Amino acid sequence: MDVDISQKSPKPITNNKRYCSEIAHFFYLSGIVNKNAITEKMKKCLILLLTLLCFSSYSYAESSLIKGKIVDASNNQPIDFADVFLFIEGSENPLKQTFPDKDGSFTFNELNNGNYNILIRLIGYDVITRAEIAVSGSNSTKDLGVIAMQPLEVGLAEVEVVAQKKQIIYKLDKRIIEASSNVLASGGTAVDILENTPSIRVNAEGEVTFRGSSGFTVYINGRPGLLSGSQALEQIPAGQIANIEIITNPSARNDAQGDAGIINVITKKDASLGFSGMVNFTGSTLGTYGPDFLLTQQNRASRWYIGGTWTDRISKSDFDQEKMTIVNDVTTTSHSKGPRKSIRYNHTLRAGWSYTLPKTNFYIDLEGGKTQTDRRGDLDYAEKRTAGTELLGEGGYLSRDRYELSQTIILGTVGFGHKFNDEGHELSASFYAKYDGDAMEYFRSDLFDKNNVRQNGHRAAEDEHRWTTRGQIDYILPYRKTGKLEAGYQYFSYLEDGDYNMEFWNPETQEFYWREDIYNTFYFMHGINSIYAIISDSYKKFDFQLGLRGEHTHRVLRSSIEGADRTYNDFELFPSAHIGYNFPKEHVLTASYSRRIIRPDLFYMEPYITFRDYYTAEIGNPDIRNQFINSFELNYKKTIGQNILSASVFHRARTDKIERLRVPYHEPGITLDSMANVGDDFSTGLELSAQLQATRWWNMNINGSVYHYRVKNKLQDLGKNEKSTNYQLALSNSFAVAKNTRIQLDGNFIGPSVVTQGKTDAYWYVNLAVRQQMFNRKLVGTLSFRDVFNSARYVSNLSTSNLLSETKIRPKYPLITLTLTYTFNNYRGNVPQATDSSVLFEGTNH
């Protein structure tokens, strides 16, 4: 993105027929145009897409420009995070500033005749300058060729004393979280890296929400991974992450699924020639332990890698819950208290190979292994039942519950890319397949008296098999030096089938028995066919990107439960827009809009009863509807030397919000959770971020957000209209106290929030970490202390006409984590990041 200072009259391109012909031919070859399969609504979408593409028939006149390509001098790999500044010769103030594209190329266009200087800088590399670059004549191009940045030959800590890496990098359509800048994620996961990001919240179960929503899509290197959502983020070791991209308003190129956008985790890929690698080992006071590793061989044209993870991440909390339910005029009050524990197992291997020719590249990635989530609680339980003033009964029990979700997964991705020229004319395609075998979801809840004699209990098991496939083809056609068209087709399919059975304890026979009336078989199929088109360009001071996406959805639910079968077919349009404006003196303003959707997953719809513990049941809702979201965002960024100030104003309007609701069950003291479209909600807020270099040895990052949240409830009997002002503040301090020693001190304040049936209180906590580099930076040790002052408390209150519930959770203390990282043969991946558990609390859904 750069500032344009000259203006020329637009003139039409005379070969517009050739462009439109190529576009139409692409749709035909992709199989998108099939008159026997296209509905009227799809035909209208296709016409709109073709119209958008053929907008390239008229373009602006060419103008003078300066361009180049930035690579790493040690391995010739592209660099896309460098700051590139353009100066008028003799001036100390930059005229324009930009970032390279993913292939390292950059362009400054719409230039007047004259002499210019360029400065390129990136932490860890020598500064590059190019002087006396002469631009003369109209439509001239000054190609600087390949510019190689030389890595500094000093220790990382010495570089950090001068200037540490930016925590957040801003681009037109996304923000990039630099993983290695967060020492406190070492030994943890992607969740820990995201924790200090503006408007990111991590609840007591480790579930990540962004601007109040958990409806985001998670990609690994731009592709789906083993798992999805928060579960995927919890399974990615922080030590293998290079950076994380947060795309709040994705373009039409991306899936429309997810109201909070896309979180794309970029893993480390050492590009140094030869064999190299890294090994991490983590242990904590809660019992978390395990290694992960990454080995790679980089040749001139080919690269292979193999990596693995064998970690057991443990969370522990003290749980305290009071509930009151009213069923058939009987009031039941209960109090449960005791420890809760969760273990997240990740035992996986991954490997890949790629081959690069001058114009074409191929790759294949494989990943497989076993993942498992194990949650358990041992609670003291007291119960009292009354009818008016009459006492019907009371007693004390021991409640023991356990939940397991295990699965053996294998996935593979193959793909290729081809460049027709060096101007960005490209074609790429990929295919992804994943199989979840031996997937088992197991529930167990037992109730014992004080003498440890069983009084009651349940057993439930859900055996599943799942197939996921995804294919796509993407085409990019530049129509001038700064403008391009993109189009593509994508296919997605998800299949799951299995059965569910449950057994109950019979106090009379003292044994468990099967409930035939609960046994259920199910089949779920979800297919999406998508087409998209995007036009993007730069003109004078503006960058813009406009896109349109069409998605046809076919969804089928089959169940042996009578009346639970459902079939769904629909076609929807999803527009997107991104606009950027670059003011003088490094003021940048961007705006974006996108329409999004959240389609219900199978677990939202499962029409049968399960139990989290003896007193907490849940059931799906086969009639749950899609959520639709309109998202708007305005961003401002100002660079002042080594300091960056940014602000974002956002508004999100969502219809048919899906939320978990709780009601009394037909048995006293037992509550039933289910999913429902509770109504509409609205979020309007402001995010502020400052990256400050206070001194040569002290860097500070301040992130804050405040937003107004309002729920317009349409289920008056199960909730009410709620509104709140939500806010949070994160302060991260990084101190380079010696050549190889770094300290990080973070403070976090999480404000209160509301849902349809209640609210969650505010809490705060402080984290501390120390990182020491040893043996010429080949061995790195990180010691982190989470919630130093033992201040974190999770308090949630739910209230309806016949239910009151208060849940209090306190994390086990202390939580101290030690992570050791060893790199060999000059592995150039980032030093890994900072804490053991990705959660403070355990047990919020109980």
Side-chain angles (χ1 to χ4, degrees), residues 566-793:
R566 299 290 188 274
T567 301
Y568 175 89
N569 285 283
D570 199 15
F571 182 82
E572 295 288 344
L573 294 175
F574 300 95
S576 68
H578 295 78
I579 300 173
Y581 187 89
N582 200 335
F583 295 90
K585 298 183 179 180
E586 301 190 57
H587 294 266
V588 180
L589 186 67
T590 62
S592 62
Y593 162 78
S594 68
R595 184 173 187 253
R596 311 287 296 164
I597 186 174
I598 294 183
R599 302 176 178 92
D601 292 322
L602 176 58
F603 71 87
Y604 286 30
M605 306 169 66
E606 295 171 333
Y608 46 84
I609 295 285
T610 60
F611 281 80
R612 284 187 172 270
D613 57 42
Y614 186 79
Y615 292 94
T616 307
E618 59 185 9
I619 189 173
N621 177 2
D623 293 315
I624 203 80
R625 300 184 301 276
N626 296 331
Q627 302 177 79
F628 289 96
I629 304 95
N630 287 288
S631 179
F632 304 84
E633 188 168 325
L634 183 67
N635 301 293
Y636 170 78
K637 180 173 74 78
K638 168 64 176 174
T639 302
I640 308 174
Q642 296 294 325
N643 306 306
I644 298 177
L645 305 177
S646 66
S648 298
V649 178
F650 64 89
H651 175 74
R652 187 185 67 211
R654 175 169 49 182
T655 59
D656 281 335
K657 168 182 167 61
I658 298 175
E659 190 173 301
R660 181 186 298 273
L661 298 180
R662 176 168 290 180
V663 298
Y665 198 33
H666 56 74
E667 297 181 28
I670 299 179
T671 55
L672 177 67
D673 292 353
S674 187
M675 309 301 292
N677 296 101
V678 299
D680 304 334
D681 71 346
F682 309 88
S683 299
T684 304
L686 172 67
E687 295 172 352
L688 298 173
S689 178
Q691 300 177 60
L692 308 175
Q693 186 170 337
T695 68
R696 291 171 58 88
W697 48 268
W698 176 17
N699 270 22
M700 184 185 305
N701 288 281
I702 306 173
N703 297 311
S705 67
V706 56
Y707 64 93
H708 180 75
Y709 180 70
R710 179 168 62 93
V711 180
K712 185 178 180 182
N713 178 43
K714 295 181 180 179
L715 302 175
Q716 298 300 328
D717 293 336
L718 299 178
K720 56 185 178 180
N721 294 335
E722 293 280 4
K723 61 181 179 180
S724 69
T725 299
N726 303 288
Y727 47 90
Q728 67 184 79
L729 180 66
L731 173 62
S732 177
N733 297 275
S734 179
F735 306 95
V737 296
K739 176 180 178 180
N740 295 311
T741 307
R742 181 176 165 191
I743 297 176
Q744 184 170 327
L745 179 65
D746 289 357
N748 297 271
F749 177 80
I750 311 298
S753 62
V754 300
V755 293
T756 303
Q757 292 186 316
K759 65 177 183 178
T760 301
D761 291 353
Y763 60 93
W764 64 276
Y765 59 95
V766 173
N767 300 326
L768 175 66
V770 179
R771 186 181 74 191
Q772 180 67 44
Q773 298 173 318
M774 299 163 280
F775 304 111
N776 195 28
R777 297 185 295 121
K778 291 184 179 297
L779 180 65
V780 179
T782 304
L783 186 67
S784 61
F785 191 167
R786 194 173 181 85
D787 189 20
V788 175
F789 300 110
N790 195 22
S791 59
R793 300 290 185 274

Side-chain angles (χ1 to χ4, degrees), residues 168-467:
I168 304 177
I169 298 171
Y170 295 87
K171 293 199 172 184
L172 178 65
D173 58 348
K174 61 189 173 186
R175 65 187 73 176
I176 301 169
I177 310 301
E178 173 59 52
S180 65
S181 65
N182 188 352
V183 178
L184 272 161
S186 183
T189 67
V191 173
D192 299 291
I193 298 173
L194 289 169
E195 196 170 32
N196 290 332
T197 304
S199 294
I200 291 282
R201 296 172 71 118
V202 182
N203 76 2
E205 293 286 353
E207 178 180 291
V208 176
T209 59
F210 182 60
R211 295 175 178 169
S213 172
S214 59
F216 54 83
T217 301
V218 175
Y219 287 152
I220 314 297
N221 299 319
R223 300 184 290 274
L226 284 175
L227 304 170
S228 60
S230 297
Q231 194 177 15
L233 296 173
E234 291 170 357
Q235 298 289 2
I236 307 173
Q240 295 189 14
I241 298 174
N243 53 66
I244 300 178
E245 299 176 345
I246 298 178
I247 308 172
T248 53
N249 272 340
S251 70
R253 181 188 309 109
N254 304 108
D255 294 342
Q257 175 75 11
D259 65 340
I262 294 172
I263 294 178
N264 184 29
V265 180
I266 307 298
T267 58
K268 294 178 179 178
K269 297 179 180 66
D270 180 30
S272 301
L273 290 176
F275 178 72
S276 58
M278 62 180 295
V279 178
N280 302 306
F281 185 85
T282 298
S284 82
T285 54
L286 296 186
T288 289
Y289 70 93
D292 63 85
F293 71 95
L294 180 63
L295 308 176
T296 183
Q297 172 71 39
Q298 178 70 54
N299 302 316
R300 292 289 180 184
S302 65
R303 173 183 178 269
W304 64 260
Y305 72 89
I306 182 171
T309 302
W310 190 282
T311 56
D312 300 342
R313 302 187 185 280
I314 298 176
S315 302
K316 296 180 180 179
S317 290
D318 291 322
F319 180 87
D320 191 324
Q321 185 178 76
E322 295 183 77
K323 288 196 295 189
M324 183 193 75
T325 62
I326 302 174
V327 179
N328 298 328
D329 297 325
V330 175
T331 300
T332 303
T333 58
S334 63
H335 185 197
S336 55
K337 185 176 182 179
R340 299 206 66 88
K341 178 181 179 180
S342 74
I343 309 176
R344 294 171 175 84
Y345 303 93
N346 182 13
H347 304 160
T348 57
L349 289 173
R350 60 190 178 98
W353 173 84
S354 61
Y355 192 83
T356 303
L357 298 170
K359 296 292 186 180
T360 306
N361 66 86
F362 305 90
Y363 66 86
I364 179 170
D365 295 303
L366 298 172
E367 187 170 4
K370 183 174 182 178
T371 66
Q372 179 173 323
T373 299
D374 187 344
R375 294 191 177 116
R376 60 189 69 181
D378 294 295
L379 309 178
D380 289 326
Y381 187 88
E383 180 185 270
K384 181 179 180 181
R385 290 184 292 122
T386 60
T389 58
E390 179 184 357
L391 178 64
L392 300 180
E394 60 182 340
Y397 306 94
L398 299 176
S399 175
R400 298 172 184 168
D401 63 85
R402 184 167 182 174
Y403 168 80
E404 293 180 7
L405 173 60
S406 61
Q407 51 202 341
T408 301
I409 304 175
I410 183 169
L411 68 84
T413 303
V414 294
F416 87 96
H418 177 73
K419 296 182 178 180
F420 296 98
N421 54 40
D422 293 330
E423 304 301 322
H425 189 188
E426 301 176 8
L427 177 68
S428 61
S430 64
F431 179 78
Y432 162 98
K434 182 179 76 167
Y435 174 65
D436 301 7
D438 301 322
M440 176 66 72
E441 196 167 7
Y442 177 74
F443 306 82
R444 188 180 76 190
S445 59
D446 297 306
L447 205 62
F448 298 85
D449 63 19
K450 295 299 183 178
N451 297 318
N452 209 33
V453 177
R454 187 190 301 276
Q455 300 296 304
N456 224 320
H458 313 105
R459 300 281 191 275
E462 185 175 317
D463 189 12
E464 306 164 348
H465 296 272
R466 315 183 191 111
W467 273 102

Side-chain angles (χ1 to χ4, degrees), residues 26-46:
F26 166 73
F27 280 123
Y28 176 77
L29 291 178
S30 301
I32 297 173
V33 181
N34 183 337
K35 64 181 181 180
N36 295 323
I38 298 179
T39 64
E40 286 300 318
K41 202 168 186 180
M42 291 179 71
K43 289 178 182 177
K44 294 178 181 178
C45 174
L46 186 58

